[in-house]
């Protein structure tokens, strides 16, 4: 492996004494490592969209791994490897780096954060085609399935659970007792992701074969967060982004699922039990909120209603019907909303109405 030239090393000493007025941020995949005669990592090459740029490491450059902590010195070699993904904050002073192939522009790094990594051929599609997995972590844990040439087929986002979400104006997860926290976390961990990742990957691959250069990667996303609360119930919503195919086209749609828990024990409550009215009356009343004077749509909404689609918010509840649920809205999702005050007294259990909602006396 070639070494950095003496002129670049001298520049490091200068940069250690003075700071530039601006920074340059580089992101990409590590494709080559640079070592000195003692085997110490002194720099690396990043590739992003076919563009190659060198990152030079001074003695005091900080490295942030995925997760917590930071290192300098010898620990660099354990974390920065070929196919690791990084974000580097550099001094905005252009140097150059001689690589195994050519010379590339290079910059001295102040901080380097490891954001993910590439695993090659970790999955095989039904026709025998291997696919790579690229994982990154920012707000969500995110991974992409891609072909050997870097073509992305499917991106998947798995956001932190409700314990890591804070919503202004709502009681959040950390206000619960230990027993409730453990039970709610166990519920979401056991439930896991609510989509078939393998099936969606195969569908995305088939679409890529058909669409060619017009293909755009498909997206799957899931997150859970607080939606409402009161002394007797803690409400959360699961938010999903999923692809829906219409013949030769594909679009993404979002849907929310509602969950209710006992704030003392963490026991999950049935959404039907949040209503004092019968199931038939709940279906009818919610359907009227969405169908209005359209009798056919109202009947369709009532029949198709799934209680898991009911999400309680401070002012009212929402119901999202996914695409291919309603014959009259086959290609699209359908959202209805009912304010608590629009329902007759006795419709909800009095203890189920969230703080901020209308109270009946």
């Amino acid at each position: 492996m070639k070494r950095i030239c003496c002129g670049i090393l001298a520049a490091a000493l200068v940069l250690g004494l003075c700071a530039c007025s601006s920074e340059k941020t580089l992101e990409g995949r590590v494709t080559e490592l640079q070592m000195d005669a003692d085997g110490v990592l002194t720099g690396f090459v990043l590739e992003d969209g076919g563009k190659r740029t060198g990152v030079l490491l001074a003695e005091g450059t900080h490295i942030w791994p995925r997760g917590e902590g930071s290192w300098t010195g010898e620990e660099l070699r354990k974390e920065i490897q070929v196919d690791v993904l990084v974000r580097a904050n550099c001094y905005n002073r252009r140097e150059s780096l001689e690589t195994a192939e050519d010379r590339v522009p290079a910059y001295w790094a102040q901080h380097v954060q490891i954001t993910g990594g590439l695993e090659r051929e970790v999955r095989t599609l039904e026709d025998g085609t291997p696919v790579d997995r690229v994982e990154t972590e920012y707000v969500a844990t995110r991974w992409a399935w891609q072909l050997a040439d870097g073509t992305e087929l499917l991106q998947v986002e798995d956001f932190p659970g409700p314990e890591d979400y804070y919503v202004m104006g709502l009681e959040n997860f950390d206000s619960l007792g230990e027993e409730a926290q453990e039970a709610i976390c166990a519920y979401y961990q056991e439930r896991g992701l609510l989509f078939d990742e393998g099936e969606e990957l195969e569908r995305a691959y088939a679409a890529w074969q058909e669409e060619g250069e017009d293909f755009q990667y498909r997206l799957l996303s899931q997150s859970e967060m607080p939606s409402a609360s009161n002394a007797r119930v803690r409400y959360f919503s699961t938010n999903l982004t999923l692809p829906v195919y219409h013949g030769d086209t594909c679009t993404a749609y979002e849907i929310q699922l509602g969950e209710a828990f006992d704030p003392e024990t963490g026991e999950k409550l049935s959404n039907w039990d949040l209503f004092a009215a019968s199931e038939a009356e709940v279906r009818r009343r919610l359907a009227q909120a969405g169908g209005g004077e359209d009798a056919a749509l109202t009947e369709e909404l009532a029949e198709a209603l799934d209680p898991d689609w009911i999400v309680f918010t401070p002012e009212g509840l929402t119901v999202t019907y996914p695409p291919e649920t309603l014959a009259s809205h086959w290609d699209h999702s359908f959202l209805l909303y009912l304010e608590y005050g629009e329902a007759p007294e006795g419709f909800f259990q009095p203890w189920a109405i969230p703080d901020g909602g209308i109270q009946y006396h």
Side-chain angles (χ1 to χ4, degrees):
M1 201 65 75
K2 301 194 184 223
R3 297 189 222 168
I4 304 170
C5 66
C6 294
I8 297 177
L9 292 176
L13 300 177
V14 176
L15 290 172
L17 299 175
C18 63
C20 296
S21 59
S22 60
E23 292 184 352
K24 185 176 184 67
T25 301
L26 301 173
E27 294 186 79
R29 177 175 62 88
V30 176
T31 59
E32 182 181 326
L33 303 178
Q34 295 270 328
M35 305 288 187
D36 67 10
D38 297 322
V40 176
L41 185 69
T42 56
F44 52 88
V45 178
L46 281 183
E47 183 171 316
D48 181 25
K51 181 180 180 181
R52 287 159 42 85
T53 309
V55 175
L56 309 176
L57 301 176
E59 184 177 350
T61 300
H62 287 275
I63 305 295
W64 274 268
R66 298 178 65 190
E68 299 179 354
S70 68
W71 304 300
T72 58
E74 295 295 320
E75 293 293 333
L76 297 174
R77 291 177 296 171
K78 298 180 180 180
E79 297 298 322
I80 298 182
Q81 301 291 333
V82 171
D83 285 341
V84 162
L85 305 181
V86 305
R87 180 186 300 111
N89 294 98
C90 304
Y91 295 103
N92 194 14
R93 176 173 173 173
R94 179 167 172 164
E95 305 285 349
S96 66
L97 177 66
E98 184 178 356
T99 75
E101 299 178 12
D102 52 15
R103 296 190 72 85
V104 298
Y107 300 85
W108 287 97
Q110 300 179 66
H111 313 288
V112 176
Q113 180 181 4
I114 298 172
T115 59
L118 167 64
E119 299 176 273
R120 297 185 181 276
E121 299 185 4
V122 296
R123 192 166 191 156
T124 302
L125 299 175
E126 291 178 354
D127 69 354
T129 300
V131 288
D132 302 335
R133 187 177 191 268
V134 181
E135 183 170 342
T136 60
E137 189 168 330
Y138 186 52
V139 177
T141 300
R142 176 183 301 162
W143 58 97
W145 294 101
Q146 64 182 38
L147 300 174
D149 65 359
T151 299
E152 285 193 1
L153 300 175
L154 182 70
Q155 285 193 5
V156 186
E157 294 179 337
D158 181 17
F159 286 83
E163 67 275 15
D164 292 315
Y165 265 101
Y166 293 85
V167 180
M168 293 292 292
L170 296 182
E171 288 188 272
N172 290 286
F173 190 85
D174 56 6
S175 66
L176 293 165
E178 182 177 351
E179 179 183 358
Q181 289 186 4
E182 290 179 355
I184 293 172
C185 281
Y187 167 80
Y188 284 114
Q189 289 172 1
E190 182 179 350
R191 189 187 66 174
L193 295 175
L194 297 176
F195 43 74
D196 189 326
E197 186 176 348
E199 178 180 334
E200 294 296 344
L201 178 57
E202 292 287 350
R203 296 177 75 182
Y205 176 61
W208 170 77
Q209 290 179 305
E210 184 173 339
E211 298 174 21
E213 294 182 355
D214 295 331
F215 174 81
Q216 293 185 331
Y217 68 81
R218 304 326 191 207
L219 174 65
L220 302 173
S221 177
Q222 179 170 326
S223 63
E224 297 90 18
M225 64 183 65
S227 67
S229 64
N230 65 24
R232 292 280 302 273
V233 190
R234 191 61 59 86
Y235 292 101
F236 294 90
S237 68
T238 296
N239 308 292
L240 293 169
T241 301
L242 303 169
V244 60
Y245 293 81
H246 314 291
D248 296 334
T249 63
C250 175
T251 57
Y253 74 93
E254 295 183 355
I255 185 173
Q256 287 188 315
L257 307 177
E259 296 95 27
F261 297 91
D262 184 306
E264 298 296 327
T265 66
E267 176 188 1
K268 187 175 184 302
L269 308 175
S270 167
N271 282 358
W272 289 130
D273 291 342
L274 305 171
F275 300 91
S278 66
E279 178 182 331
E281 174 62 14
V282 172
R283 288 180 178 275
R284 185 186 68 82
R285 179 67 64 172
L286 294 182
Q288 286 179 338
E293 297 181 359
D294 188 332
L297 176 59
T298 298
E299 182 178 354
E300 189 178 17
L301 291 171
E303 183 176 347
L305 176 65
D306 186 320
D308 289 341
W309 301 339
I310 301 173
V311 177
F312 280 72
T313 74
E315 295 81 22
L317 57 81
T318 66
V319 180
T320 307
Y321 291 76
E324 302 181 1
T325 300
L326 304 172
S328 59
H329 295 74
W330 188 253
D331 292 337
H332 309 284
S333 57
F334 185 94
L335 174 68
L336 67 82
Y337 176 73
L338 177 68
E339 290 187 3
Y340 299 120
E342 294 177 349
E345 185 172 357
F347 184 68
F348 296 99
Q349 294 287 2
W351 48 262
I353 298 174
D355 291 340
I358 186 171
Q359 302 293 325
Y360 294 107
H361 301 283

